[in-house]
Short mmCIF file of all heavy atoms in Angstrom, two decimals:
data_model
loop_
_atom_site.label_atom_id
_atom_site.label_comp_id
_atom_site.label_asym_id
_atom_site.label_seq_id
_atom_site.Cartn_x
_atom_site.Cartn_y
_atom_site.Cartn_z
N GLY X 377 -12.24 -22.33 15.00
CA GLY X 377 -11.76 -23.45 14.16
C GLY X 377 -10.80 -24.28 15.00
O GLY X 377 -11.21 -24.99 15.89
N PRO X 378 -9.44 -24.28 14.59
CA PRO X 378 -8.50 -25.14 15.31
C PRO X 378 -8.28 -24.61 16.77
O PRO X 378 -7.80 -25.40 17.55
CB PRO X 378 -7.16 -24.95 14.57
CG PRO X 378 -7.32 -23.53 13.80
CD PRO X 378 -8.74 -23.49 13.48
N GLY X 379 -8.73 -23.39 17.06
CA GLY X 379 -8.50 -22.88 18.54
C GLY X 379 -7.26 -22.21 18.75
O GLY X 379 -7.15 -21.03 19.03
N TRP X 380 -6.11 -23.09 18.77
CA TRP X 380 -4.87 -22.56 19.08
C TRP X 380 -3.67 -23.43 18.57
O TRP X 380 -3.99 -24.53 18.22
CB TRP X 380 -4.65 -22.40 20.54
CG TRP X 380 -4.61 -23.69 21.27
CD1 TRP X 380 -3.44 -24.39 21.62
CD2 TRP X 380 -5.69 -24.49 21.80
NE1 TRP X 380 -3.97 -25.54 22.28
CE2 TRP X 380 -5.15 -25.54 22.36
CE3 TRP X 380 -7.13 -24.26 21.69
CZ2 TRP X 380 -6.07 -26.64 23.02
CZ3 TRP X 380 -7.96 -25.31 22.34
CH2 TRP X 380 -7.40 -26.36 22.93
N VAL X 381 -2.53 -22.95 18.49
CA VAL X 381 -1.34 -23.70 18.21
C VAL X 381 -0.85 -24.42 19.49
O VAL X 381 -0.93 -23.82 20.52
CB VAL X 381 -0.24 -22.90 17.52
CG1 VAL X 381 1.04 -23.72 17.49
CG2 VAL X 381 -0.64 -22.31 16.29
N SER X 382 -0.61 -25.70 19.42
CA SER X 382 -0.28 -26.51 20.65
C SER X 382 0.61 -25.74 21.72
O SER X 382 1.71 -25.12 21.26
CB SER X 382 0.42 -27.80 20.19
OG SER X 382 0.97 -28.34 21.24
N THR X 383 0.35 -25.71 22.85
CA THR X 383 1.14 -25.09 23.82
C THR X 383 2.43 -25.82 24.02
O THR X 383 3.40 -25.32 24.42
CB THR X 383 0.32 -24.89 25.10
OG1 THR X 383 -0.09 -26.10 25.55
CG2 THR X 383 -0.71 -23.92 25.06
N LEU X 384 2.35 -27.14 23.69
CA LEU X 384 3.58 -27.91 23.79
C LEU X 384 4.62 -27.41 22.84
O LEU X 384 5.81 -27.31 23.09
CB LEU X 384 3.29 -29.41 23.62
CG LEU X 384 2.44 -30.07 24.68
CD1 LEU X 384 2.18 -31.47 24.38
CD2 LEU X 384 3.26 -30.05 25.96
N LEU X 385 4.11 -27.19 21.60
CA LEU X 385 4.95 -26.61 20.55
C LEU X 385 5.46 -25.19 20.90
O LEU X 385 6.69 -24.93 20.68
CB LEU X 385 4.28 -26.56 19.25
CG LEU X 385 4.97 -26.04 17.99
CD1 LEU X 385 6.29 -26.86 17.70
CD2 LEU X 385 4.03 -26.21 16.78
N GLN X 386 4.63 -24.43 21.52
CA GLN X 386 5.05 -23.08 21.87
C GLN X 386 6.15 -23.25 22.95
O GLN X 386 7.19 -22.44 22.98
CB GLN X 386 3.84 -22.40 22.54
CG GLN X 386 2.78 -21.99 21.45
CD GLN X 386 1.67 -21.20 22.02
OE1 GLN X 386 1.94 -20.16 22.68
NE2 GLN X 386 0.39 -21.69 21.94
N ARG X 387 6.02 -24.10 23.84
CA ARG X 387 7.07 -24.36 24.95
C ARG X 387 8.39 -24.77 24.34
O ARG X 387 9.50 -24.45 24.76
CB ARG X 387 6.58 -25.33 26.05
CG ARG X 387 5.43 -24.76 26.81
CD ARG X 387 4.97 -25.72 27.82
NE ARG X 387 3.79 -25.36 28.60
CZ ARG X 387 3.74 -24.44 29.59
NH1 ARG X 387 4.95 -23.80 29.87
NH2 ARG X 387 2.65 -24.05 30.02
N LEU X 388 8.26 -25.59 23.31
CA LEU X 388 9.52 -26.15 22.61
C LEU X 388 10.22 -24.90 22.00
O LEU X 388 11.51 -24.75 22.02
CB LEU X 388 9.14 -27.20 21.57
CG LEU X 388 10.34 -27.81 20.77
CD1 LEU X 388 11.45 -28.29 21.72
CD2 LEU X 388 9.87 -28.83 19.79
N VAL X 389 9.50 -24.04 21.30
CA VAL X 389 10.04 -22.91 20.60
C VAL X 389 10.74 -21.98 21.66
O VAL X 389 11.85 -21.45 21.42
CB VAL X 389 9.03 -22.15 19.83
CG1 VAL X 389 9.61 -20.76 19.26
CG2 VAL X 389 8.53 -22.95 18.67
N LEU X 390 10.04 -21.78 22.81
CA LEU X 390 10.64 -21.04 23.81
C LEU X 390 12.04 -21.55 24.24
O LEU X 390 12.90 -20.78 24.54
CB LEU X 390 9.77 -20.86 24.91
CG LEU X 390 8.67 -19.68 25.04
CD1 LEU X 390 7.73 -19.91 26.23
CD2 LEU X 390 9.42 -18.41 25.14
N ALA X 391 11.98 -22.89 24.39
CA ALA X 391 13.26 -23.50 24.91
C ALA X 391 14.35 -23.38 23.89
O ALA X 391 15.49 -23.13 24.20
CB ALA X 391 13.05 -25.00 25.17
N LEU X 392 14.06 -23.39 22.56
CA LEU X 392 15.05 -23.22 21.48
C LEU X 392 15.53 -21.69 21.57
O LEU X 392 16.75 -21.49 21.44
CB LEU X 392 14.53 -23.62 20.17
CG LEU X 392 14.17 -24.94 19.94
CD1 LEU X 392 13.37 -25.18 18.64
CD2 LEU X 392 15.42 -25.75 19.85
N TRP X 393 14.69 -20.68 21.70
CA TRP X 393 15.01 -19.42 21.81
C TRP X 393 15.93 -19.07 22.89
O TRP X 393 16.87 -18.16 22.89
CB TRP X 393 13.88 -18.40 21.84
CG TRP X 393 13.05 -18.30 20.52
CD1 TRP X 393 13.41 -18.70 19.29
CD2 TRP X 393 11.72 -17.60 20.47
NE1 TRP X 393 12.39 -18.44 18.40
CE2 TRP X 393 11.42 -17.71 19.10
CE3 TRP X 393 10.89 -17.15 21.32
CZ2 TRP X 393 10.34 -17.19 18.55
CZ3 TRP X 393 9.77 -16.60 20.90
CH2 TRP X 393 9.43 -16.55 19.41
N ALA X 394 15.70 -19.89 24.04
CA ALA X 394 16.50 -19.54 25.28
C ALA X 394 17.83 -20.15 25.30
O ALA X 394 18.62 -20.00 26.36
CB ALA X 394 15.62 -19.92 26.50
N ASP X 395 18.04 -21.03 24.38
CA ASP X 395 19.38 -21.88 24.39
C ASP X 395 20.35 -21.23 23.56
O ASP X 395 20.31 -21.14 22.40
CB ASP X 395 18.95 -23.28 23.84
CG ASP X 395 20.23 -24.18 23.73
OD1 ASP X 395 21.14 -23.90 24.52
OD2 ASP X 395 20.16 -25.22 23.04
N PRO X 396 21.56 -20.79 24.25
CA PRO X 396 22.55 -20.03 23.52
C PRO X 396 23.12 -20.93 22.41
O PRO X 396 23.65 -20.38 21.34
CB PRO X 396 23.56 -19.57 24.54
CG PRO X 396 22.82 -19.67 25.87
CD PRO X 396 21.76 -20.68 25.66
N SER X 397 23.34 -22.14 22.70
CA SER X 397 23.99 -23.18 21.67
C SER X 397 23.06 -23.21 20.49
O SER X 397 23.63 -23.38 19.38
CB SER X 397 24.22 -24.49 22.33
OG SER X 397 22.97 -25.18 22.71
N THR X 398 21.72 -23.22 20.68
CA THR X 398 20.91 -23.21 19.46
C THR X 398 21.06 -22.02 18.74
O THR X 398 21.01 -22.02 17.44
CB THR X 398 19.43 -23.49 19.91
OG1 THR X 398 19.31 -24.73 20.52
CG2 THR X 398 18.50 -23.36 18.71
N THR X 399 21.00 -20.90 19.37
CA THR X 399 21.31 -19.53 18.73
C THR X 399 22.56 -19.68 17.92
O THR X 399 22.59 -19.03 16.83
CB THR X 399 21.25 -18.46 19.76
OG1 THR X 399 20.09 -18.50 20.44
CG2 THR X 399 21.51 -17.05 19.06
N GLU X 400 23.54 -20.15 18.53
CA GLU X 400 24.73 -20.20 17.77
C GLU X 400 24.61 -21.10 16.53
O GLU X 400 25.27 -20.72 15.46
CB GLU X 400 25.93 -20.80 18.68
CG GLU X 400 27.34 -20.60 18.07
CD GLU X 400 28.32 -21.14 19.09
OE1 GLU X 400 28.03 -21.23 20.36
OE2 GLU X 400 29.55 -21.43 18.64
N LEU X 401 24.09 -22.24 16.66
CA LEU X 401 23.78 -23.11 15.55
C LEU X 401 23.16 -22.45 14.37
O LEU X 401 23.47 -22.66 13.16
CB LEU X 401 23.18 -24.44 15.96
CG LEU X 401 23.94 -25.52 16.76
CD1 LEU X 401 22.94 -26.48 17.30
CD2 LEU X 401 25.03 -26.03 15.85
#
Side-chain angles (χ1 to χ4, degrees):
W380 68 93
V381 173
S382 167
T383 55
L384 293 175
L385 180 55
Q386 294 182 53
R387 292 183 188 281
L388 176 57
V389 171
L390 268 172
L392 292 168
W393 283 350
D395 180 16
S397 63
T398 296
T399 300
E400 185 176 346
L401 282 173

